[in-house]
Every structure is written in structure tokens, then in C-alpha cells.
Amino acid sequence: MSDNVADAGPAKPPTPAEPPAKAGPLAFLQVFGPGLITGASDDDPSGIATYSQAGAQYGYGLEWTLLFSWPLMCAIQEISARIGRVTGRGIAGNLKRAYPRSLVLSLVGLVLVANTINLGADLGAMAAALQLLIGGPLWLLIAAFALLSVLLEVFVRYKRYAAILKWFALSLLTYVAVAFAVKAPWGQVAWNLIAPSMKFDVGALTVVVAVLGTTISPYLFFWQASEEAEEVEDDPRAQALRRSPDQARAAFKRIRIDTYLGMALSNAVALFIMIATAATLNAHGVTNIQTSSQAAEALKPVAGPLVFFIFAIGIVGTGLLAVPVLAGSAAYALGEVFGWKIGLDRSWRDAKPFYGVIAAATLVGGLINFSGLDPIKALFWSAVINGVVAVPVMVMMMLMSSGRKIMGDFTLGPGLKIVGWLATAVMGAAAVGMFATMAMGGGS
């Protein structure tokens, strides 16, 4: 590859700016794209379990983690999106161009394993939540959710599929409703957000690390970058910015708004989950929460059937959003490493290996629920793998996005570079903290 021209496929006719938005009363919604879906998928059933555990065990004491992590999430996800939009490739495709293939394949393999475990946990949580509401055999509900997710990804065209995911993101608002329904003490909530009053012990450190690992996770990097590249492929008026630099200003503005609002939604919803469980479960001495469905079930006698119903429905909705993102991000990463035809806008016949990974990851994830493997331990090891993978991937992303070899004239500015490296350092510290708590018996 030349230092000045990215190999992003055949050039399209240049356009003076990113494609203009359509007019209409809902035109403002068009700014929401990969950033919104990425942020919303971060509040998956496994994440809900983590935030519920934080609220149940420590009340309002860990709210600060979500305020602290928001700018870090925004920076690293914006960098991911910029890499995809500038080069027309996802993270794995660019890593392969800059680093040894064996190293990239090892990291992508770990992402695939972690995503599959997480995917299985989410399928199980969705099925358990729906079983609480309507009954029925758990295996049938898991199979139904897995099949629905695969069918949507394989057979629905990208534009329509992306629109479906955006609507699923609305399910996150159920947790805002729950927080207001339980009448949380908002003065105390606001004070603890900026002046936490908790004592740090091994358990608290473990939850802090879990929250950081949930909010800043490798599959989110891979997904957002690949979706930006997908949108370039999908729209004949758009192309990789290294081939059409005059689109950069509009593209970067859209990416920043989309990403910052998407991450704000993610962390705001996580905050409302903490608030709701702190105001109900923690206030009534219910502190041992391991899964999102346990949190929903525990809410019923404490907060009433309506709150229980809303909370459980939210688990199903967020799972429907997160499962395809987990499977899709793994397929994008693996496909780029092996040079497959990839993309949700391609037909099944045109991208069989890509869709095969999506189907296989979803199938294996579903089967994990019947393997006899403790789902709590499975999620723990998924978090360990994500912690191992996130830091080197972030380091390599920061180096790539700061150099002209990959980014050409679109290297990171000083502000984004500083916050991106800060996010990388925080995740490095979180990984060290994770292993320290394991050594102290906090995560076994």
C-alpha cells in the first residue's frame, strides 16, 4: 500500500461532501447510525446484570464510574469509527495491514471466543426473562431467539436491518421508566454522581473493573468501524475518505454527534439501571444479584409487578439488539483477516463464510446454555478474555490512527489522541486490577 492511497477498492466518482440528509419531520434521526447501535448494544443483558449487581451491592456508590467512563468511551469509539470511514475497512482489516497476521489472528480468535460466550449468556438471559413473563420451556425460547437473530442478519438487507436495530434501541428507555417508577431519591443520586461516598474493597474494585470492561469492550470497536465501512459500501455517493477527502468534514461531524449521543445513551441507561436497583434491591437488603433475570425477579416483590414487567421486557429488547452485534462483529473481524467477502448488505450466496460465522457463533452460544457450564463463570472468563484483548487492540488502534500509513492526512488531532491514550491506560489499569482481584479471590 502506498503511504498516500488506501487500498479501499475501486474508486467511485468523487462527491463534494458526505451524502446530504433527507428532509422531513424526523430528518434529525438520520444522524443516528453505527454510534447509536454500538452504544445501545453495550447495554446487553450481561451488562444489565453488571449494573444491577453494582446497584444492588453498593447502592448509589458506583454511579461515578459511568460519568468517568463516558468521555473515554466516546474517544475510543470515535477513533474506531474514523478508522472505518477513512479507510473503508474495519479494525481487523487495518490491523492485518499494519501488524503480523499471526498476532491479529490470535487477537481476533480471542474476540470470537469472548463474543460467543457473551452471546450465549445474552440468549440465556433473554429466554429466562421471557420465561418469567409467559412461561414455556427455556430451550425453546433460547432456540427461538437464536433463530430470529440469525434470520434477521442473514436475510434482511443492511439498510432495513440497521433501521430495525435502531428501533430495538428504544427498548433501553424501559430502564429510564423503571428508575422513575420506583421514586428514587434524586438529590442523593445527583450527589453520589459527583461525590461518591463508598469504601473501596476487593468486591468494589471487582465491580468497578467489571463496569469498565462492560462499557469499553473490543467487540464494540470492531462493530462500529465495520459498520462505517459498510455504509461506505452501501451508499454509491460515499467512499473512503482517503479517496474523497472533501467528504471528511461532514463525515467526521456526523460520526462525532452519532458516537457521543450513542455513548451518552449507553451510560445514561446503565446509570438508570444502577439507580433503579439501588432504590429497590439495595434499599431492601437484596444484594446477591448475578444475572439480569435474577434482578428482574427480585424486583417483583420489592417494587411491584409493573416494574418487574418493564425490567424484564427491557432485557428481551436489549438482547435482540446485542446478539446480532456480538455475532456480526466477530464475523467482520474474522472475514477481514481471511479476506472473505463480508457485509450485511451482501446476499447469503455471496458471503457464505461471513454469514456462516454469524450462524455458528449464535448456535454455539445457544448451546453453551445446555453444556453444564456455569453461566456466571462463563461470563467471568469472557470478561477476562475481553480484558486481555482490549488493551493491545486499543494500543494498536491508537498507533494506527496516529500514523499516516493507515490514516493518510486524517491522523488524530491532539485532543482525541490524548483522551484515546487515557482510555487505553485506564483499560490497562482495569486489566491489572482484574488480575489482582482474581489473585485476591475476588473473581473466582
Side-chain angles (χ1 to χ4, degrees):
M1 183 187 74
S2 163
D3 279 352
N4 295 316
V5 180
D7 181 12
K12 301 172 186 175
T15 54
E18 188 158 73
K22 296 178 181 179
L26 298 179
F28 73 95
L29 293 176
Q30 293 180 76
V31 75
F32 293 113
L36 172 69
I37 296 170
T38 302
S41 69
D42 198 21
D43 292 319
D44 66 328
S46 301
I48 292 169
T50 299
Y51 306 134
S52 298
Q53 185 181 37
Q57 286 188 330
Y58 296 99
Y60 308 106
L62 288 181
E63 293 175 16
W64 64 271
T65 57
L66 298 168
L67 188 63
F68 171 74
S69 65
W70 179 69
L72 308 182
M73 288 176 68
C74 290
I76 204 66
Q77 290 303 143
E78 182 181 352
I79 291 166
S80 302
R82 282 176 175 245
I83 290 172
R85 187 66 180 85
V86 168
T87 66
R89 297 173 180 271
I91 298 298
N94 282 296
L95 288 176
K96 188 176 72 169
R97 301 173 69 83
Y99 298 98
R101 187 170 183 268
S102 57
L103 172 62
V104 177
L105 187 58
S106 298
L107 292 174
V108 168
L110 289 172
V111 170
L112 176 61
V113 172
N115 282 16
T116 302
I117 295 172
N118 206 339
L119 193 156
D122 285 351
L123 286 171
M126 294 159 65
L130 190 58
Q131 187 183 49
L132 290 173
L133 294 174
I134 66 172
L138 190 67
W139 68 268
L140 181 60
L141 296 174
I142 290 174
F145 281 130
L147 181 62
L148 176 63
S149 296
V150 171
L151 290 177
L152 284 173
E153 274 191 285
V154 174
F155 294 110
V156 177
R157 298 291 288 179
Y158 170 71
K159 280 187 175 179
R160 180 169 293 181
Y161 180 70
I164 291 171
L165 291 181
K166 290 178 187 178
W167 283 110
F168 281 150
L170 292 177
S171 64
L172 295 173
L173 298 179
T174 59
Y175 295 108
V176 179
V178 168
F180 282 100
V182 299
K183 299 179 180 178
W186 295 106
Q188 185 179 352
V189 167
W191 177 250
N192 276 273
L193 190 61
I194 57 174
S197 58
M198 63 169 293
K199 293 181 179 179
F200 282 97
D201 53 21
V202 173
L205 180 59
T206 302
V207 177
V208 169
V209 170
V211 169
L212 290 173
T214 298
T215 54
I216 304 176
S217 189
Y219 80 89
L220 302 174
F221 317 154
F222 286 95
W223 174 263
Q224 188 163 356
S226 294
E227 290 307 285
E228 285 292 340
E230 180 98 348
E231 295 205 346
V232 169
E233 286 294 316
D234 185 57
D235 193 331
R237 299 168 297 174
Q239 54 186 314
L241 295 182
R242 289 196 63 169
R243 290 190 178 277
S244 186
D246 41 5
Q247 293 184 2
R249 183 174 182 179
F252 288 158
K253 180 179 179 181
R254 175 193 55 78
I255 285 172
R256 176 159 290 185
I257 295 172
D258 179 32
T259 300
Y260 284 36
L261 291 179
M263 299 308 117
L265 172 66
S266 172
N267 277 26
V269 168
L271 176 63
F272 280 113
I273 293 170
M274 280 193 192
I275 292 169
T277 50
T280 52
L281 302 183
N282 179 268
H284 288 80
V286 181
T287 59
N288 186 21
I289 297 297
Q290 298 293 333
T291 67
S292 54
S293 57
Q294 283 181 9
E297 195 168 18
L299 280 170
K300 191 171 186 178
V302 172
L306 179 60
V307 170
F308 155 75
F309 176 82
I310 296 173
F311 198 95
I313 284 293
I315 293 170
V316 175
T318 58
L320 288 171
L321 175 67
V323 165
V325 171
L326 285 161
S329 62
Y332 276 118
L334 208 60
E336 288 183 329
V337 171
F338 286 109
W340 299 336
K341 291 182 178 179
I342 61 173
L344 295 171
D345 203 42
R346 295 184 183 273
S347 68
W348 162 258
R349 293 178 180 273
D350 194 33
K352 288 182 180 178
F354 172 75
Y355 286 118
V357 172
I358 288 175
T362 306
L363 173 63
V364 173
L367 291 175
I368 287 175
N369 290 278
F370 308 103
S371 65
L373 183 66
D374 184 338
I376 307 305
K377 288 186 177 180
L379 266 182
F380 169 72
W381 286 109
S382 172
V384 169
I385 295 171
N386 275 324
V388 168
V389 173
V391 179
V393 169
M394 290 171 73
V395 169
M396 290 188 283
M397 282 172 52
M398 291 304 302
L399 293 174
M400 286 193 309
S401 56
S402 299
R404 292 179 58 84
K405 180 179 179 181
I406 297 296
M407 299 294 282
D409 293 332
F410 299 108
T411 55
L412 298 181
L416 197 54
K417 188 182 296 186
I418 289 170
V419 183
W421 278 115
L422 177 61
T424 305
V426 168
M427 288 305 294
V432 171
M434 175 183 63
F435 288 112
T437 56
M438 288 170 61
M440 292 185 288
S444 58

